Structure formats: C-alpha cells, structure tokens
Amino acid sequence: MDPTHLFELVIVMFVAIIALHYAAHRLGLPPSVALLSGGALLAFLPGLPAITVDPGLVLVIFLPPLLMDGAWSIALGRLRRHVIGIASLAIGAVIFTCVVVAMVAHLMFPSLPWAACAALGAIASPPDAVSARAVLQRVRLPRRLQILLEGESLFNDASGLVLFRFAVTAGVTGLFSTIDAVGNFFLLSFGGALVGGVIGTTWVLFVRRLGDEYLIIAATTLLCWTSYLLGEMFHVSGVIATVTTGLIAGWYQHTIFSAATRMRGTSFWTVIIFLMEASVFILIGLSLRGVVERGGGFGVVLATMGGPTLVILIALTLARFGWVFGSDLVIRLCNALGLRHYKPLGAPGAAVLSWAGVRGVVTLALALSLPEGFPGRDFILVTSFAVILGTVLVQGTTLGRVISWAKLTEPESEKARLTMSQAEAAMAQAQLEIVQSRAYDSEGNLIHPQLLERYQRRAVAIVDYAERTEHYVPVLHAHFDVVLEAVATGRRELIRLHRAGDIDDETLDELERDLDLEELSAISAKS
C-alpha cells in the first residue's frame, strides 16, 4: 500500500474511533463492542483494501504503553497484599485453561497434534489487558476484585507468551520438556523484572536532573517501549520488564514530577492511551476479513468450524469458572483448618471474577504469528477470533448486569483507614503547622497575619466538614455551582476583551490557565 494511502487510512480510522465512541455513548454500549463491530464492518467495505496486521508490530506498538499505563496507576499496596491471588490467576488460571482447551481440542480433532492443541490453549488462555481495562472502566467493583483483575491483566500475558513459544517450538521441532519450560518461565520472569528494575531506577535518577517539563514528558512516554524492547533484546520477558518499570515510575512520579508536569503529562498520556486502546479494537475488527477469507468465506467457516469454536469458547469459560471457584474452595478449606490469612470471595464475587475474562489483542497477535504450515493454523485463527468476539460481545456487554446481580459489598478489611475528607483534614493540619512556624519572625512578631488566618480557618472548616460530611454536601454543591458559573462568566469576558483587541495573546493564555485551574478545582471538589 502506498504510504500516503496508509496515512489516509490511519486518519479515517481515528475519525471512525471518535464516531463509534460517540455512538456507543449514545446507545449505552461498551465502547469496545462498538469499535470491534465498526472495525469488522469497515473491513468489508467495497473498495477498501485488505488490512494485513503484522502481529509482532502490533504487540510492540500497543502492548508496552497499555501495560505501562496499568502498572503506573495500580494501587501498589493492594497489589502486594493480593500477590498470591494475582499469581493464581496470572499463572495458575492461564496454565489450567491452556490444558483444558488443549484437551477439548484434541478430543474433537484427534488428528490434530498435541502441540497445536497446546498452542491454541496458550493463545486463548490469557485475558487481555486492553480488553480488561475497557470493561473495568465502565463498572464499579469492590477493591479486592478490582486489584485481582488489574493485576492479572498485567502479568498473565507473560505466562501466555511463554506457553505459546514452547507449544510452537514443540509443533515445529517435535521436542518438548516440561522441566525446561518451567525453568525458562522463571528465568524469563526474573530477567524481565531485573531489566525493568534497572530501567525504572535509571529513569528516576535521569528525570530528577532533566529540569525541563517537556523533556520529562517525552522521556516518560518513551519509557514503556524502552523497557519492552530491551527486555526482548536480552531474551527475557518484555512484558514483565515493562510492568516492573511502570510500577517503579508510578511509585516515584509523585515525588519527582512538578504540578505542571503532572497535569500536562497526564493530559497528553490520556489521549495517547485512548487512541491506542480504541485502535486495538478497530484493528481486531479489520482483521476479520483476512481470517474469514483464509477459512473459505463466512458460509464455509460457519459450516466447518462454527460448532468446534463454540465448544472451545464454552470450555474456555468453564475452565476459568472452575479455577476461580476451585481456588475459593481451597481458601475456605484453609480457613476451616485455621489458616485465615485470606478470605474467600464468596459465590457472587467468584462469579464476577470468572465472567470478567475478556480476550483481545494478545490473543489475536499470537494467533496471527503462527508460522505458515503450522498444523491446524486456519482452525486456530478462526477459533481465536471467535474467542475474542464471544468474550467482548457477550461478557463485555453483560458484566455490568452480572455485577448488579451479585450485589457485591466492600469488606471492612479492604476499606482505607481514612476517608477522603479525613485525609484532607490531615493535610490541612500539616499545612497549618508549617504556616504557623513561618508566620513569625525570629523576634516573635507576626509577619503573615492574613496567611495564618487563612490556613487556620481552612483547617477548622475541613475538620468540621470531615465530621459532618452529609450535612455539608448539598451546600458545597450549590457553592461550587456558583463558582463554575463565575468561571464561565469570567471566561466569556476574557474572550470578549481579547476579541476587542484590549488584551494580547499572552494575557489571554495566562488568565485562561488560571480560570482552567479554578474550574478543575471546583469540579474536583463537587465530585
């Protein structure tokens, strides 16, 4: 394809993303469903060239920033607290699902080699980080389930990728060693964590010396690809390297970023991640054409592979249910024996966790990367795409209803010790103490009376608000509604002055930024 036409196609894709997101919002659909369906429709438009997706390039472009974004914002304290549960899902559930899918595939097609069946299991077993984010952004879960799903989506790709590599090697060479596979898995994981730790530490030291906020944002943006590519270059897990780097950077960004860097960087990064997440689902939809054409057309695919792919999808779903409910049963048995370190999720929580296993870009990329001539390649491609469609269209659209049905509540052990209002009161008290220490000169004379009075009044008001939050909420909402109206009025007047030529562009930009900060502060206070 001509480079100019390729660029035009990318622009068309971005326009389609905006339109499909808007349509999903108006129709009350998950954006991932609208994007995937829209991409599939675009793939079959007359005159549109067939889109060939390079699986390696897709993983390199999209996976690192999306993994970095998840690791950057994850609650590290809860991640440590639930590391065993996350490992159970990211490693145990992936291996168990891979085995179940491989066995079911071999039962349906005894002539299909075990290596090919294992490759299918490895491709379909890991829930996808992008799909998980797309689903979780629209639902509200208790903190424990949220961290289990977020942590699983960060680390399970490493398990799936390792299983896939060994399955493909076994299919091509006919050689497989369980001991070598386990040893290599831990070597890849440890090596990836080591590479990620070195890069994350280097980034912290480097950013502290940069000084320029735009250089800091640029260096931070490139961090995810640097970690992933160096991890792969050293033949360790690029996924683990990226996640480790993201955890380190996310922990230290609160202390090394200025307020301006954080605001500008967050805005820039949010748009990048939005476009990447949306592009992934569009590309998945666009790739449908190639998958169907390889299978001989819709009619042939449905007639010859429809039944087996449905069986695989059901086996995949039941395997996750079996692992999650089985793990919950083990926890109950441990509790009965006096080991009470972990509490069971309960049937409703386990059902939600089981139903949230949505597949996406990693499944597609692995399937497309199968070498030509690999046994059962066409069947694996069709089944992989059916798994993505089934989980996104069915589980992605119904997860909210499942959560509503489950009526989940937040356990007391998962709740933070302080509410937001109490944390604000603690901050106000610390601020008051430093202002009190600076309000007097060396001779004891009060030199900042207005500043001291302001912080004293603020500390008292916030403590009172924390104690009587329900009483103040309606009053504060009305207060900040007036503030927002005043900001809007000030902005109109500012623009009028600029249009009339009474102020220059620099004054407009400076005062507009002040109004923007005031507006953001008021919106945050209302929420």
Side-chain angles (χ1 to χ4, degrees):
M1 184 185 295
D2 181 79
T4 303
H5 291 160
L6 178 60
F7 179 72
E8 291 172 352
L9 187 62
V10 170
I11 297 301
V12 169
M13 183 179 71
F14 286 154
V15 173
I17 285 170
I18 296 171
L20 291 168
H21 252 273
Y22 176 75
H25 175 71
R26 294 299 300 268
L27 297 173
L29 293 172
S32 56
V33 173
L35 291 165
L36 195 152
S37 304
L41 291 174
L42 287 174
F44 290 94
L45 282 179
L48 189 71
I51 305 300
T52 303
V53 179
D54 186 305
L57 187 60
V58 167
L59 283 181
V60 169
I61 290 176
F62 293 101
L63 191 58
L66 296 171
L67 288 172
M68 176 70 73
D69 188 61
W72 184 281
S73 58
I74 199 167
L76 197 55
R78 289 202 296 273
L79 181 70
R80 288 195 298 263
R81 191 157 64 247
H82 296 291
V83 65
I84 294 179
I86 292 170
S88 170
L89 291 169
I91 300 175
V94 169
I95 295 174
F96 179 72
T97 304
C98 178
V99 171
V100 170
V101 170
M103 293 176 65
V104 171
H106 195 70
L107 284 173
M108 289 190 298
F109 300 99
S111 60
L112 195 64
W114 274 107
C117 298
L120 174 59
I123 290 169
S125 56
D128 182 59
V130 184
S131 301
R133 283 170 52 88
V135 171
L136 292 177
Q137 286 172 355
R138 293 178 51 85
V139 299
R140 193 172 191 85
L141 286 173
R143 286 182 175 87
R144 183 180 178 188
L145 286 181
Q146 187 87 17
I147 198 67
L148 286 174
L149 287 170
E150 289 178 355
E152 176 194 16
S153 69
L154 288 177
F155 293 103
N156 62 9
D157 290 336
S159 305
L161 287 167
V162 171
L163 289 173
F164 174 76
R165 287 171 181 171
F166 278 99
V168 171
T169 301
V172 173
T173 65
L175 301 175
F176 179 77
S177 169
T178 304
I179 296 176
D180 288 345
V182 173
N184 273 282
F185 173 76
F186 285 105
L187 180 63
L188 291 171
S189 300
F190 177 78
L194 183 61
V195 170
V198 171
I199 295 172
T201 304
T202 304
W203 173 83
V204 172
L205 298 174
F206 179 64
V207 165
R208 279 178 170 160
R209 289 163 173 77
L210 272 180
D212 185 278
E213 62 187 59
Y214 293 107
L215 291 178
I216 292 172
I217 293 171
T220 305
T221 302
L222 297 175
L223 186 63
C224 56
W225 288 290
T226 303
S227 301
Y228 187 86
L229 293 173
L230 282 178
E232 295 296 312
M233 185 186 300
F234 287 111
H235 303 292
V236 296
S237 173
V239 170
I240 298 297
T242 306
V243 170
T244 304
T245 302
L247 292 174
I248 294 172
W251 178 260
Y252 282 99
Q253 57 100 4
H254 302 288
T255 58
I256 62 177
F257 279 0
S258 67
T261 301
R262 188 175 298 106
M263 287 186 64
R264 291 187 175 123
T266 300
S267 300
F268 171 76
W269 187 250
T270 300
V271 174
I272 293 294
I273 294 300
F274 164 74
L275 290 174
M276 286 200 162
E277 283 183 348
S279 299
V280 164
F281 288 105
I282 287 282
L283 288 174
I284 291 173
L286 288 172
S287 65
L288 176 62
R289 179 173 170 179
V291 172
V292 170
E293 288 177 350
R294 285 189 62 87
F298 273 115
V300 175
V301 168
L302 287 175
T304 60
M305 303 183 192
T309 55
L310 180 61
V311 172
I312 294 292
L313 180 58
I314 293 172
L316 188 77
T317 305
L318 292 178
R320 183 172 177 86
F321 269 86
W323 181 268
V324 173
F325 275 88
S327 300
D328 214 43
L329 179 60
V330 170
I331 294 175
R332 289 182 182 277
L333 292 175
C334 291
N335 288 174
L337 295 173
L339 302 174
R340 302 185 180 276
H341 186 65
Y342 288 97
K343 293 182 179 180
L345 291 170
V352 170
L353 188 63
S354 302
W355 194 243
V358 183
R359 273 65 177 181
V361 63
V362 174
T363 294
L364 177 68
L366 292 182
L368 292 172
S369 67
L370 282 170
E372 293 289 340
F374 191 83
R377 186 177 189 270
D378 290 345
F379 171 68
I380 293 174
L381 270 173
V382 171
T383 304
S384 300
F385 203 93
V387 164
I388 297 170
L389 281 176
T391 55
V392 171
L393 297 179
V394 177
Q395 293 172 229
T397 55
T398 58
L399 182 60
R401 296 191 187 94
V402 173
I403 292 171
S404 299
W405 163 82
K407 293 182 172 62
L408 301 174
T409 57
E410 190 78 70
E412 288 296 326
S413 60
E414 292 295 323
K415 292 181 179 179
R417 291 193 300 273
L418 298 179
T419 64
M420 184 178 293
S421 299
Q422 291 169 331
E424 286 177 333
M427 286 195 309
Q429 187 60 40
Q431 289 175 321
L432 176 59
E433 289 175 3
I434 192 63
V435 170
Q436 285 175 331
S437 68
R438 301 290 190 273
Y440 298 87
D441 61 16
S442 57
E443 297 178 358
N445 298 315
L446 182 61
I447 55 176
H448 299 299
Q450 292 179 336
L451 193 62
L452 179 60
E453 181 186 358
R454 172 189 166 192
Y455 275 89
Q456 285 175 333
R457 187 169 61 249
R458 182 169 178 266
V460 171
I462 290 178
V463 170
D464 188 39
Y465 175 79
E467 294 173 351
R468 298 194 297 159
T469 303
E470 293 182 0
H471 170 74
Y472 280 110
V473 166
V475 179
L476 282 176
H477 277 210
H479 168 86
F480 286 110
D481 283 339
V482 175
V483 171
L484 290 172
E485 287 184 32
V487 169
T489 302
R491 182 174 283 111
R492 285 194 296 271
E493 177 63 13
L494 182 65
I495 293 172
R496 187 192 69 78
L497 293 172
H498 180 260
R499 297 293 187 266
D502 295 331
I503 59 174
D504 57 19
D505 291 344
E506 288 77 11
T507 302
L508 171 68
D509 293 340
E510 189 74 24
L511 294 180
E512 188 177 42
R513 183 169 67 249
D514 293 342
L515 288 172
D516 289 343
L517 290 172
E518 189 176 0
E519 181 179 343
L520 290 173
S521 177
I523 292 172
S524 175
K526 276 191 67 176
S527 61

